[in-house]
Amino acid sequence: MAPLHAQIDPTMLAWLMLWITSAVAGWNVSACSAAACWRSNPITAATAPATRTIMPAISHPGRGESPENRRPGAGCNTPPSSRYGQVQHNGGVGELQRRWEAMAKSLSAFGAERGHVDVPRSHRTASGAPLGAWLHRQRTLAADGRLPPDRRERLNDLGVRWTVYAREAGIAAFAAFARQHEHGLVPHTFRTASGFPLGTWVQSRRKQWSADPDRALRLWPELVALGFVWEVRNAEHAWVAAIAALTRYRDGHGDVLVPQWFITEDGLHLGRWVDSRRVEYRSGVLTPSRVAQLEALGIVWKLRESADDPARQRREDAHFARMLDRVAAWSTQHNDRIPGVRVVDGDGVAIGRWLLRQRRLSQQRRLTQDRIAQLDAWHAAWSTGRGTMPGI
């Protein structure tokens, strides 16, 4: 006698297995082809029969559902996106949906903080959630046509960009940055005038290099030719970038007396960098070649010279005059208002902090009468701060 499975028609066997799996999952199958239903089932898709035998409607015992009364989302031909969340008695789908919602909220928070949602692929939230990898997965699903429309719409509302930036666009943006700033240390938040997230793009290239240096060099010969900085903590590259920034400061201000709070337009804390070099000089750890470079730019190693030092006085007077000119220019552009403490001018100079210091020096009777007279000539209320415009 032949085995039992050999006596059963293959199509009926397929239908029986579909009925069993649908009972486990809670589906309700009616009036569809056995082959189509078989193929739509993830468990039995690999062995789907090629014939298209129409089978009678089947309802699960106790459900009593006719086709016209069947609940939304039931049936083997219902798209997965509409069934998503319907079956929750086993907890699986509901948990996946909650995870997706949590990641979408994290993406919204990222956008609120950064002003964009171009999340680096390696980025993780404060709680450790792989937000960058998750967003990459959503882009992959969208490209394959497998991302449900409602989810795509949600991500559209958050400002997600679905296409990865072209290779040529990133290389061109980096080349332009290197020409303008004379170095390749792009801050991670930097975006070009056209909105291209160059900082994020550069981070991704460095991540590639960290994983496999040889492969990254093969993939990006254009960046190698442009002097791309693969290791962000490379001390030599950081020195070259800072010297270039200090040279530009000297050309624009006439000296290298950089205020401690000064930050360049590309995010380098130049004032702190110069202070650190003075500390190294006093400690004797700054190499002779670097001392020579800084002295060629006119660095002042000891700022607290005697009060009657003529050179120091001339530098301070020139700096005071330049800062007052900046404050006056800003005030003219803003209807004769006095800048608040957080105001910076168009060049990124913190004129609000400078003016606050002059006010405090005057209160401590440490500001010369000549400087007080210059400030009075600019604005009669400078010492009180009345008419101050809040900073940005």
Side-chain angles (χ1 to χ4, degrees):
M1 182 176 179
L4 178 62
H5 68 271
Q7 302 178 45
I8 301 177
D9 180 76
T11 301
M12 292 304 298
L13 178 61
W15 185 257
L16 178 62
M17 292 187 67
L18 175 62
W19 189 91
I20 294 172
T21 54
S22 68
V24 174
W27 299 344
N28 198 356
V29 183
S30 176
C32 58
S33 76
C37 291
W38 189 277
R39 283 191 294 270
S40 69
N41 188 302
I43 300 175
T44 59
T47 58
T51 60
R52 293 180 55 84
T53 304
I54 303 299
M55 304 300 294
I58 294 180
S59 291
H60 298 297
R63 297 187 185 268
E65 294 179 332
S66 60
E68 59 272 15
N69 295 325
R70 188 173 298 113
R71 69 189 186 281
C76 66
N77 290 329
T78 304
S81 60
S82 64
R83 291 202 308 268
Y84 199 92
Q86 294 288 333
V87 183
Q88 297 192 19
H89 57 271
N90 61 3
V93 173
E95 178 61 25
L96 290 175
Q97 180 68 11
R98 283 191 290 273
R99 287 185 191 175
W100 196 94
E101 291 292 343
M103 296 302 283
K105 288 180 180 178
S106 296
L107 184 63
S108 178
F110 182 96
E113 178 183 351
R114 309 288 182 90
H116 65 86
V117 290
D118 296 314
V119 185
R121 189 169 178 178
S122 60
H123 178 80
R124 288 179 174 268
T125 64
S127 62
L131 183 60
W134 177 83
L135 181 57
H136 178 77
R137 174 63 176 166
Q138 306 312 302
R139 289 193 175 109
T140 301
L141 290 173
D144 294 343
R146 295 187 289 135
L147 186 66
D150 57 332
R151 292 188 173 183
R152 180 162 187 142
E153 184 177 351
R154 281 279 305 281
L155 296 177
N156 280 337
D157 292 341
L158 293 176
V160 169
R161 300 171 186 253
W162 297 104
T163 56
V164 179
Y165 289 104
R167 174 191 184 94
E168 293 75 15
I171 294 172
F174 176 77
F177 181 95
R179 285 195 302 271
Q180 180 180 354
H181 300 284
E182 300 179 10
H183 65 82
L185 298 175
V186 185
H188 71 278
T189 58
F190 183 84
R191 299 172 75 88
T192 65
S194 62
F196 182 82
L198 182 60
T200 300
W201 187 86
V202 165
Q203 276 191 315
S204 297
R205 303 292 75 73
R206 289 180 181 140
K207 184 71 174 178
Q208 283 183 320
W209 183 87
S210 298
D212 190 340
D214 292 337
R215 183 171 182 271
L217 297 178
R218 289 196 306 270
L219 287 174
W220 300 96
E222 302 92 340
L223 294 181
V224 175
L226 289 170
F228 188 84
V229 181
W230 300 101
E231 190 176 6
V232 72
R233 296 187 181 276
N234 187 302
E236 185 60 34
H237 284 295
W239 174 268
V240 171
I243 288 294
L246 189 61
T247 302
R248 290 193 298 273
Y249 183 93
R250 182 201 61 184
D251 295 343
H253 296 80
D255 58 46
V256 289
L257 294 172
V258 187
Q260 195 271 345
W261 42 259
F262 185 81
I263 302 174
T264 65
E265 62 181 10
D266 59 334
L268 174 62
H269 290 260
L270 187 60
R272 296 180 188 175
W273 185 86
V274 171
D275 281 352
S276 297
R277 303 295 77 73
R278 290 191 179 106
V279 172
E280 291 177 350
Y281 176 80
R282 291 195 296 269
S283 302
V285 299
L286 198 61
T287 63
S289 62
R290 293 189 171 183
V291 170
Q293 277 185 283
L294 292 170
E295 289 182 342
L297 291 173
I299 192 171
V300 178
W301 297 114
K302 187 177 180 183
L303 294 179
R304 299 183 181 276
E305 300 288 350
S306 60
D308 58 349
D309 178 48
R312 176 175 179 267
Q313 190 64 46
R314 285 194 299 271
R315 288 194 300 269
E316 289 185 352
D317 288 344
H319 180 67
F320 180 90
R322 285 193 299 271
M323 291 301 294
L324 184 55
D325 287 343
R326 287 182 176 275
V327 172
W330 185 94
S331 181
T332 300
Q333 295 172 0
H334 295 83
N335 300 321
D336 203 32
R337 300 298 296 271
I338 300 175
V341 65
R342 291 173 297 181
V343 168
V344 296
D345 66 5
D347 296 327
V349 178
I351 57 176
R353 292 183 184 178
W354 178 86
L355 186 58
L356 176 64
R357 175 163 175 75
Q358 308 312 307
R359 192 176 298 128
R360 288 177 176 172
L361 289 174
S362 176
Q363 294 168 354
Q364 297 166 5
R365 300 183 184 278
R366 295 169 55 196
L367 195 63
T368 66
Q369 291 301 315
D370 176 62
R371 293 186 179 180
I372 292 175
Q374 292 183 59
L375 289 164
D376 286 339
W378 160 62
H379 202 296
W382 73 270
S383 60
T384 63
R386 293 174 182 171
T388 297
M389 184 174 184
I392 53 176

